[in-house]
Amino acid sequence: MQRSDFCIAGAGIIGLSLALELNRRGASVTVLDQADPLSEASTAAAGMLAANDPDNPTALQPLSDLSAALYPAYLALLERLSGIPVPFQTSTTLQAIESTHPLFPQALSPTAATALLPQLNPHGRSFLHLHEHSVDPGQLAPALLAAVQSTTIDLRTHTPVHTVRSTTTATQIDTAAGTLTATSYIDCSGAWAISQDPNPRHPVTPKKGQLCYIALPEAAPLHLVVRTHEVYIAPRTTGPHAGQAIIGATVEDCGFDTNVHPDDIARLFAAAVSLVPSLAAAPILESWAGLRPATPDRLPLIGPRPNHPHQFLATGHYRNGILLAPATAQLMAQILCHETCSIDPTPYSPARN
Ligand SMILES: Cc1cc2nc3c(=O)[nH]c(=O)nc-3n(C[C@H](O)[C@H](O)[C@H](O)COP(=O)(O)OP(=O)(O)OC[C@H]3O[C@@H](n4cnc5c(N)ncnc54)[C@H](O)[C@@H]3O)c2cc1C
């Protein structure tokens, strides 16, 4: 029976980024996906690297800061392996903030915010001016996939994992195409994670998000992300979607349904137009939905799976999996290879209370 050091379930941005980190350390890695690689949340996403979103849980900050710092090197690695550059689309964000938030003293007045973005109607709100990047996941995905394919990583698509059994020395992974053996198994299956665990400490559930692409008016291009608690507008400034912007996104509990509802897209569009009225005549080009992997405390699960020796989790990245991929891959690889961790992994431990 074929045996690898590490078997990863899920070829989304988390599973493939982890595979690259482990491969760089000389380990043999198999990645299994039930469908095509990067066909779920990782390509549905808007691509904001929202490390300083005031809606993020406080305990996410160290992982967010690490990942934002790792991003340039991560994109450079993908380009070196794949030959495909992935440019940052934007480098700042205007983020609406409530007067009760601790960061409110750093906010711009409504007048200062409109000086930065004349198209903005702040409705009397204050905004943070965040130095935050965004990427186009539609550009990142082919670079990440080509990077993986340039290595010895064994990527098997249309191969769902059915069951996983650990002995004292190894893990057996039953798939639709037979059984594999690995020293360790890492569940990176996004919103589908732990579906075999009847009583997980931190259940992962799908949170649906609908969003759309609009064509930006030529007379009023956008060069920064505008975000409120209700809606965001993330412009594309380079690449195949240059001159367009993503408007997102709903947050819904409806299982694994990914149908798009025109009424919901119309509501998002109206919220965006209220914020940036010059978008009123912008045509909607395309709309879609994806499933965010959410945990009850909105923190990811990175580390050993409780009571399951040789099994690990790297999932639950909810609204920030594009941002958190480089740091998650580094931290998980450090845990798996018994190295010193770049940051304290305790807040993200699947065994946390
Ligand atoms: C609408 C929307 C907007 C978003 N915007 C942003 C954003 O702006 N910035 C940001 O940082 N994040 C954003 N996110 C969140 C981000 O997309 C996710 O957190 C991230 O993509 C999760 O990556 P993943 O690899 O864990 O999951 P996925 O990309 O969903 O990959 C999981 C993979 O596991 C596979 N799988 C499932 N079950 C099995 C099985 N049994 N066997 C084998 N394979 C299996 C699936 O086929 C899938 O390919 C957004 C998400 C959505 C939906």
Side-chain angles (χ1 to χ4, degrees):
M1 195 184 294
Q2 192 188 340
R3 177 171 179 146
S4 47
D5 295 327
F6 300 106
C7 177
I8 295 172
I13 192 171
I14 301 296
L16 293 184
S17 301
L18 173 61
L20 283 177
E21 273 289 319
L22 293 168
N23 179 264
R24 254 151 52 100
R25 288 164 166 77
S28 57
V29 185
T30 303
V31 183
L32 309 171
D33 200 287
Q34 65 182 1
D36 287 324
L38 295 159
S39 58
E40 295 290 350
S42 301
T43 38
M48 296 174 294
L49 308 182
N52 299 303
D53 188 328
D55 281 347
N56 290 345
T58 310
L60 196 61
Q61 202 62 53
L63 192 68
S64 300
D65 288 344
L66 175 65
S67 224
L70 289 174
Y71 236 91
Y74 174 71
L75 296 181
L77 173 73
L78 298 191
E79 181 172 358
R80 187 163 55 74
L81 292 176
S82 69
I84 303 173
V86 183
F88 287 127
Q89 295 288 336
T90 56
S91 56
T92 57
T93 294
L94 275 179
Q95 164 79 55
I97 187 153
E98 302 295 325
S99 59
T100 50
H101 196 278
L103 289 176
F104 185 75
Q106 297 173 28
L108 303 173
S109 66
T111 317
T114 37
L116 266 177
L117 184 66
Q119 301 99 303
L120 184 72
N121 181 349
H123 295 285
R125 280 183 289 200
S126 297
F127 284 77
L128 291 171
H129 188 208
L130 301 173
H131 293 279
E132 227 179 57
H133 290 103
S134 67
V135 293
D136 179 351
Q139 285 186 306
L140 197 153
L144 176 55
L145 183 57
V148 166
Q149 287 169 336
S150 77
T151 69
T152 54
I153 294 166
D154 179 9
L155 172 60
R156 303 187 194 182
T157 58
H158 299 278
T159 308
V161 170
H162 290 325
T163 49
V164 181
R165 291 166 286 133
S166 292
T167 67
T168 47
T169 54
T171 305
Q172 294 205 330
I173 301 108
D174 297 323
T175 78
T179 299
L180 283 82
T181 305
T183 305
S184 300
Y185 169 81
I186 310 102
D187 186 341
C188 300
S189 59
W192 293 262
I194 342 186
S195 51
Q196 293 150 34
D197 195 334
N199 190 20
R201 189 181 283 238
H202 297 276
V204 179
T205 50
K207 291 266 188 210
K208 176 178 170 181
Q210 301 181 57
L211 63 183
C212 66
Y213 257 129
I214 58 162
L216 287 169
E218 273 180 32
L222 273 183
H223 295 290
L224 44 72
V225 170
V226 187
R227 195 166 59 223
T228 70
H229 184 68
E230 297 79 32
V231 69
Y232 54 75
I233 308 164
R236 301 292 188 239
T237 57
T238 178
H241 293 285
Q244 302 178 10
I246 285 200
I247 297 177
T250 63
V251 180
E252 303 168 64
D253 280 309
C254 38
F256 290 89
D257 164 51
T258 52
N259 288 317
V260 175
H261 300 286
D263 288 357
D264 294 329
I265 298 294
R267 264 192 294 276
L268 280 175
F269 184 74
V273 169
S274 162
L275 203 55
V276 180
S278 60
L279 300 181
I284 295 175
L285 303 173
E286 193 187 340
S287 50
W288 66 97
L291 302 171
R292 310 175 184 92
T295 58
D297 61 8
R298 298 184 294 133
L299 292 170
L301 303 167
I302 304 171
R305 187 175 170 197
N307 307 318
H308 291 80
H310 311 294
Q311 295 187 34
F312 297 79
L313 295 164
T315 184
H317 292 80
Y318 189 39
R319 303 193 79 163
N320 288 300
I322 306 298
L323 164 69
L324 298 172
T328 300
Q330 184 181 86
L331 194 60
M332 190 74 247
Q334 289 167 336
I335 292 168
L336 289 165
C337 298
H338 310 288
E339 298 169 9
T340 305
C341 290
S342 310
I343 54 168
D344 178 10
T346 315
Y348 320 114
S349 165
R352 67 182 178 258
N353 286 322

